[in-house]
Amino acid sequence: MIKMKPNQVISSKDEKKDIPTTQLIFLGQWVFVLLFLPCCTSAACDQVDRNALLSLAFKVSSPLNWSASSDCCHWEGILCGLDDRVVHLWLPGRGLSGSISPAITNLTFLTHLNLSNNRLLGLLPDRLFSSLFRLQVLDLSFNLLNGHLPILSNGARKLQIVDLSSNYFNGTIPSSILLPSVASGSLMIFNVSNNSFAGSIPINAFCKNGSNQNSLTLLDLSFNELIDSIPTGLGSCSKLQVFRAGFNALSGPLPDDIFDLVDLQQLSLPVNRLSGPIGVGIVRLTNLTILELYSNEFLGPIPVQIGNLFRLVKLVLHINNLTGSLPPSLANCTNLSTLNLRVNYMSGELSAFNFSTLQHLTTLDLGNNNFSGELPQSLFSCKSLTAVRFALNQLEGQISPEIVGLESLAFLSISNNFLTNATGAFRILRGCRNLTTLVLSKSFMNEPLPDDENLVDPDGFQNIQVFALGGCNFTGQVPTWLAKLKNLQVLDLSFNLINGSIPGWLGSLPNLFYMDLSNNLLTGGFPKKLCGMPGLASKKAIDPADRSYMQLPVFVMPQNASYQQYNQLSSLPPAIYLGNNRLGGNIPIEIGQLQFILVLDLSRNSFSGSIPDQICFLTNLEKLDLSYNHLSGEIPASIKSLHFLSSFSVAYNDLQGLVPSGGQFNTFTNSSFEGNPGLCGPPMLSRSCLEMPRSPGVVFRTTNTHTSETKKILIALVFGIFFGIGFGIGFSIDDAKIPFLGWCMNKLI
């Protein structure tokens, strides 16, 4: 019960006073309050508590109204009980910094402590739990606290909520701070996610075997470093509704007693090393709304009676070793919004499953499996769909006109299948007005690239941001209708048989910042108009506010690296890939205008002349590949001023003179310069400039064939990129470029 202090009102007994006299009396009352209230209130605040609070000495972004001359019960973030003792210290998101002083343990009547969302750091006081034995709510989440939690034998017995998430705590999770609250049946929520706790899960600290008093409803141990299997005993937490332990290093099978948690609504164990079958017992958890077991090593089929989980909203099982077909009973999960089964070994006729009952389905990802047959017609009745991925399966046939009925569809990837009739597909898909991402790479093999000017009407494809058509062996020229896609940001036409010149109008697309035309049969030169691409020549190229989020993440598989996940377009590297074509002529000096480009690949062409000195203006450049051309002259020394350049190659050209030294050039190896007999100096250690021959001789070149390097293979979707559903964040680019195709020898996404 919170203490309220009554106001003392002094009123005049003389009702016949005139107005001026009444005003004077009223003014006198306020003078009395202002003069004497501080003295009165300071006497009401418990001295021990006031001293303890003042000793905390938090640094704050804006001052607190804490003063030794006022009642601490009236301070910001403080509440007192009837006995004038502080019971609430509540200052979330208040800009506090510094450490938590041991003086806090003197607030022995404290029941609620919330200092979350600040910048507090350091260790917790040793006696925090033993001294604050009345504590019911402890929330120190989203700070910078570290070290081990205090290990004590007599912790608080009344704890109901403990939230220490998003800090830097480490060591093991001590049972001593939990056992008293668990024994008394008070603990309901325990969240230590996003720390660095290690060791095994102390299940006996949370779930007391044989106890009917257990009140735990939420247990979140995710994003730590926990190991070993999930111990038996979790079933004793009979009231548990949410169990999260994802992003650890847990192993072994799911314990059988986890299926006794009939009140469980969320089971989230992704990104561990859990193995074995999912277990048929899971169908007893009929209150489940979220089941997340992705990125583990589960095997076998999805339980046949999975449809018993009719309350499921999210079923996320991707990146496992699951086999079998889609269980027919899954159609009973009519509340399902997200179904993600990509990167497994599932098979069967996809059209045999009845999707029509899943009217709430918004996201469907079945990519990287072995499903066969045609695109399921029943899917087109799921009017809520916004994202669909069928990439890397064995689907065949043509795209049905009924797909236009999916009016909310924004993301579609059907790459790496066996579809036919690209022209018909484009004419149909232009009716999907909300499409922003379309990935059809390596699906329409050896067909002409549709170049009908009428393919794009005033409304068709007008929202497209990502357009990936790589690896189809399309013939023809770059379609002129692409010039109408004013929202296009990412274009991949790599690994086709496209001929003719690069159209200059590509440089006029206002939002294009990633263009891959590599591994084609393009001729002509580097159009000067490309040097004015707004997405690469203006600050817009690095302004995240001008980039959109993907409906589903994009995955890139760089050479010799694990896949990288991007959730928004602003994380992708602004780039031009023109490698392995038949381009020639000089590299235009106007190329220096592309000052926000990160990757420029002109390798394996027939460019001649000197390397433009203006390349030094590309101050954000991270990769420059000019290898296998006919470039001559010296390497401009000004390039060493490119401080972000981490990958550089001018191998196999006709360059001469001294290799520049200093800056990033000190990090490049001989492979960046080999095949240029006229170059000398470090790192060309075997060739001193004093020993240079008068004639550079003949430079050997590999044939510039279309067979391209097999290293540059995309993986499920193109882009040198995978399009699919995933969990995560953006990463920096790798030295190797990945085309948007979709050849995949390994199970990757």
Side-chain angles (χ1 to χ4, degrees), residues 117-433:
N117 287 280
N118 285 292
R119 297 188 59 81
L120 300 172
L121 47 78
L123 307 176
L124 293 182
D126 288 339
R127 297 173 50 243
L128 183 69
F129 291 98
S130 59
S131 296
L132 305 185
F133 56 90
R134 293 181 173 87
L135 209 56
Q136 299 173 22
V137 175
L138 174 63
D139 189 349
L140 302 176
S141 61
F142 292 95
N143 277 288
L144 306 173
L145 300 166
N146 57 36
H148 294 200
L149 296 184
I151 301 177
L152 298 169
S153 59
N154 56 338
R157 291 182 165 276
K158 299 181 179 180
L159 280 172
Q160 299 173 11
I161 298 174
V162 176
D163 191 346
L164 305 177
S165 62
S166 297
N167 280 285
Y168 295 93
F169 292 118
N170 53 42
T172 59
I173 302 173
S175 302
S176 59
I177 64 174
L178 300 172
L179 288 174
S181 298
V182 171
S184 66
S186 64
L187 188 64
M188 295 185 295
I189 294 175
F190 187 79
N191 185 354
V192 292
S193 62
N194 199 20
N195 280 285
S196 297
F197 288 111
S200 303
I201 297 176
I203 206 69
N204 292 331
F206 304 110
C207 307
K208 191 172 180 61
N209 193 23
S211 173
N212 295 322
Q213 293 183 314
N214 198 296
S215 301
L216 192 66
T217 59
L218 184 148
L219 177 59
D220 194 341
L221 309 174
S222 54
F223 291 96
N224 280 287
E225 300 170 11
L226 300 172
I227 60 172
D228 297 331
S229 60
I230 301 174
T232 300
L234 194 64
S236 299
C237 287
S238 57
K239 297 180 181 178
L240 196 63
Q241 298 176 13
V242 177
F243 178 47
R244 305 188 189 111
F247 296 87
N248 282 285
L250 301 172
S251 58
L254 294 177
D256 288 339
D257 68 339
I258 202 171
F259 305 133
D260 296 332
L261 301 173
V262 293
D263 289 339
L264 200 62
Q265 298 174 19
Q266 295 184 27
L267 178 59
S268 181
L269 303 171
V271 195
N272 280 291
R273 300 169 188 166
L274 300 171
S275 58
I278 292 177
V280 295
I282 203 165
V283 303
R284 302 203 304 267
L285 306 180
T286 55
N287 284 303
L288 271 184
T289 60
I290 296 176
L291 178 58
E292 295 177 322
L293 302 177
Y294 63 89
S295 293
N296 279 288
E297 299 171 11
F298 290 111
L299 50 78
I302 297 174
V304 174
Q305 297 302 321
I306 192 72
N308 288 1
L309 309 182
F310 61 93
R311 292 185 174 90
L312 269 184
V313 175
K314 291 182 63 176
L315 179 59
V316 188
L317 306 177
H318 58 282
I319 315 180
N320 278 289
N321 299 310
L322 301 176
T323 55
S325 58
L326 290 177
S329 71
L330 186 61
N332 297 333
C333 299
T334 55
N335 292 301
L336 207 58
S337 172
T338 299
L339 176 60
N340 189 347
L341 304 176
R342 66 176 168 85
V343 194
N344 279 289
Y345 296 94
M346 301 186 69
S347 58
E349 289 274 338
L350 200 55
S351 56
F353 182 82
N354 181 17
F355 288 93
S356 63
T357 59
L358 308 181
Q359 290 299 302
H360 297 286
L361 194 63
T362 60
T363 301
L364 175 65
D365 192 346
L366 302 181
N368 294 59
N369 279 284
N370 297 309
F371 291 114
S372 58
E374 297 186 347
L375 296 177
Q377 292 293 309
S378 61
L379 185 68
F380 303 136
S381 63
C382 301
K383 303 301 183 181
S384 299
L385 275 170
T386 60
V388 175
R389 179 172 180 259
F390 289 140
L392 264 170
N393 279 285
Q394 300 177 33
L395 302 178
E396 57 188 13
Q398 301 184 21
I399 292 179
S400 169
E402 293 184 48
I403 198 172
V404 178
L406 303 180
E407 296 181 358
S408 299
L409 189 64
F411 184 106
L412 178 64
S413 173
I414 321 179
S415 63
N416 295 77
N417 282 287
F418 302 100
L419 303 181
T420 57
N421 191 6
T423 300
F426 285 8
R427 286 176 175 163
I428 291 170
L429 291 173
R430 68 181 178 182
C432 296
R433 306 300 192 193

Side-chain angles (χ1 to χ4, degrees), residues 58-64 93-97 118:
F58 292 128
K59 297 177 182 178
V60 292
S61 55
S62 59
L64 298 170
R94 193 52 183 80
L96 307 180
S97 59
N118 285 292

Side-chain angles (χ1 to χ4, degrees), residues 352-652:
F353 182 82
N354 181 17
F355 288 93
S356 63
T357 59
L358 308 181
Q359 290 299 302
H360 297 286
L361 194 63
T362 60
T363 301
L364 175 65
D365 192 346
L366 302 181
N368 294 59
N369 279 284
N370 297 309
F371 291 114
S372 58
E374 297 186 347
L375 296 177
Q377 292 293 309
S378 61
L379 185 68
F380 303 136
S381 63
C382 301
K383 303 301 183 181
S384 299
L385 275 170
T386 60
V388 175
R389 179 172 180 259
F390 289 140
L392 264 170
N393 279 285
Q394 300 177 33
L395 302 178
E396 57 188 13
Q398 301 184 21
I399 292 179
S400 169
E402 293 184 48
I403 198 172
V404 178
L406 303 180
E407 296 181 358
S408 299
L409 189 64
F411 184 106
L412 178 64
S413 173
I414 321 179
S415 63
N416 295 77
N417 282 287
F418 302 100
L419 303 181
T420 57
N421 191 6
T423 300
F426 285 8
R427 286 176 175 163
I428 291 170
L429 291 173
R430 68 181 178 182
C432 296
R433 306 300 192 193
N434 288 307
L435 266 181
T436 59
T437 299
L438 180 58
V439 185
L440 301 176
S441 51
K442 206 169 186 291
S443 283
F444 300 95
M445 299 302 297
N446 303 306
E447 296 187 21
L449 185 56
D451 194 15
D452 184 350
E453 188 70 22
N454 296 322
L455 264 181
V456 179
D457 55 34
D459 296 321
F461 292 135
Q462 290 307 302
N463 290 310
I464 284 288
Q465 298 172 350
V466 177
F467 206 179
L469 303 173
C472 295
N473 283 347
F474 277 131
T475 58
Q477 300 186 350
V478 177
T480 56
W481 51 266
L482 290 176
K484 300 179 181 180
L485 308 186
K486 301 303 182 182
N487 287 307
L488 188 64
Q489 299 185 43
V490 174
L491 175 64
D492 176 24
L493 297 176
S494 63
F495 286 89
N496 284 296
L497 300 174
I498 299 172
N499 56 32
S501 60
I502 299 174
W505 49 256
L506 284 171
S508 301
L509 292 175
N511 295 294
L512 187 64
F513 74 92
Y514 186 112
M515 181 177 69
D516 190 349
L517 303 180
S518 65
N519 297 282
N520 279 287
L521 305 174
L522 296 168
T523 56
F526 189 108
K528 292 183 180 180
K529 290 185 177 180
L530 284 188
C531 300
M533 291 176 63
L536 297 176
S538 67
K539 189 176 183 300
K540 185 176 185 178
I542 58 172
D543 187 358
D546 290 335
R547 306 279 183 82
S548 300
Y549 281 82
M550 308 287 292
Q551 286 76 23
L552 295 178
V554 169
F555 296 87
V556 182
M557 180 72 178
Q559 176 185 344
N560 300 324
S562 59
Y563 69 83
Q564 299 175 346
Q565 175 176 319
Y566 299 85
N567 290 329
Q568 58 185 119
L569 291 179
S570 59
S571 299
L572 287 167
I576 292 179
Y577 295 109
L578 299 179
N580 203 20
N581 277 286
R582 299 174 180 178
L583 302 171
N586 294 338
I587 300 174
I589 61 175
E590 290 82 1
I591 203 165
Q593 299 174 22
L594 302 175
Q595 55 183 313
F596 296 105
I597 193 171
L598 268 65
V599 180
L600 178 61
D601 186 349
L602 305 180
S603 63
R604 297 182 182 272
N605 281 287
S606 297
F607 288 110
S608 58
S610 60
I611 299 174
D613 191 66
Q614 288 77 5
I615 284 182
C616 71
F617 296 134
L618 309 183
T619 53
N620 292 287
L621 201 62
E622 297 182 8
K623 174 179 177 179
L624 176 62
D625 193 346
L626 304 176
S627 62
Y628 293 94
N629 279 286
H630 299 282
L631 299 171
S632 58
E634 297 184 347
I635 301 173
S638 59
I639 294 181
K640 67 183 181 182
S641 66
L642 300 178
H643 301 299
F644 297 107
L645 194 63
S646 59
S647 177
F648 175 75
S649 180
V650 290
Y652 297 97

